Amino acid sequence: MTFEKIITFILAGIFAYISFCQFIEKGFLFNNAYIFASEEERKKLDRKKHYRQSAIVFCLLSTVFLIMGLSIVFQNKKMQLLEIPLIIGALIYAIISSIKIERDAKK
């Protein structure tokens, strides 16, 4: 295996592991709302929603890197087109879910 194949699959595995940990709500919360919040704000945050949001985004990123690795292994550039809707979906999901979480927090 070449270096790029190995790194791509390692990244897919790392993102899958982070996603799993976020789904079970264990470990550090990889979410901007949590990272940039003050200590007082962190206590008020609904961590469950933020863990779920981060888990879904990391799951989508893991899938992107898995597809990227498979396209390298099979030397099929057309497979890379599958990455585009996943990346766009992750971005749209992150934006919409952030708006929804903020809206729910203000209620």
Side-chain angles (χ1 to χ4, degrees), residues 5-17 61-62 65-66:
K5 292 176 192 174
I6 294 169
I7 295 298
T8 305
F9 284 116
I10 287 173
L11 286 172
I14 290 170
F15 286 142
Y17 176 75
L61 289 175
S62 174
F65 277 93
L66 181 62

Side-chain angles (χ1 to χ4, degrees):
M1 274 194 164
T2 62
F3 181 71
E4 60 192 9
K5 292 176 192 174
I6 294 169
I7 295 298
T8 305
F9 284 116
I10 287 173
L11 286 172
I14 290 170
F15 286 142
Y17 176 75
I18 293 171
S19 176
F20 174 75
C21 290
Q22 299 293 291
F23 271 121
I24 63 172
E25 299 177 13
K26 299 290 182 192
F28 184 76
L29 177 55
F30 290 99
N31 193 293
N32 284 340
Y34 180 79
I35 293 171
F36 295 115
S38 67
E39 288 297 321
E40 292 176 10
E41 292 172 333
R42 286 182 180 184
K43 292 177 184 175
K44 295 177 185 176
L45 280 178
D46 182 6
R47 290 185 183 185
K48 187 171 189 155
K49 291 179 182 180
H50 292 291
Y51 267 119
R52 180 174 167 79
Q53 179 188 37
S54 297
I56 291 171
V57 170
F58 276 105
C59 184
L60 290 170
L61 289 175
S62 174
T63 306
V64 167
F65 277 93
L66 181 62
I67 292 170
M68 191 182 300
L70 291 173
S71 71
I72 294 169
V73 168
F74 295 121
Q75 297 178 352
N76 185 345
K77 299 283 185 185
K78 290 182 181 179
M79 283 181 73
Q80 291 176 343
L81 294 175
L82 296 172
E83 297 169 22
I84 296 169
L86 288 171
I87 293 170
I88 292 170
L91 288 170
I92 291 171
Y93 172 77
I95 292 168
I96 291 173
S97 65
S98 293
I99 293 169
K100 185 177 178 192
I101 290 171
E102 285 298 317
R103 206 178 289 159
D104 290 346
K106 290 181 181 179
K107 289 183 179 180

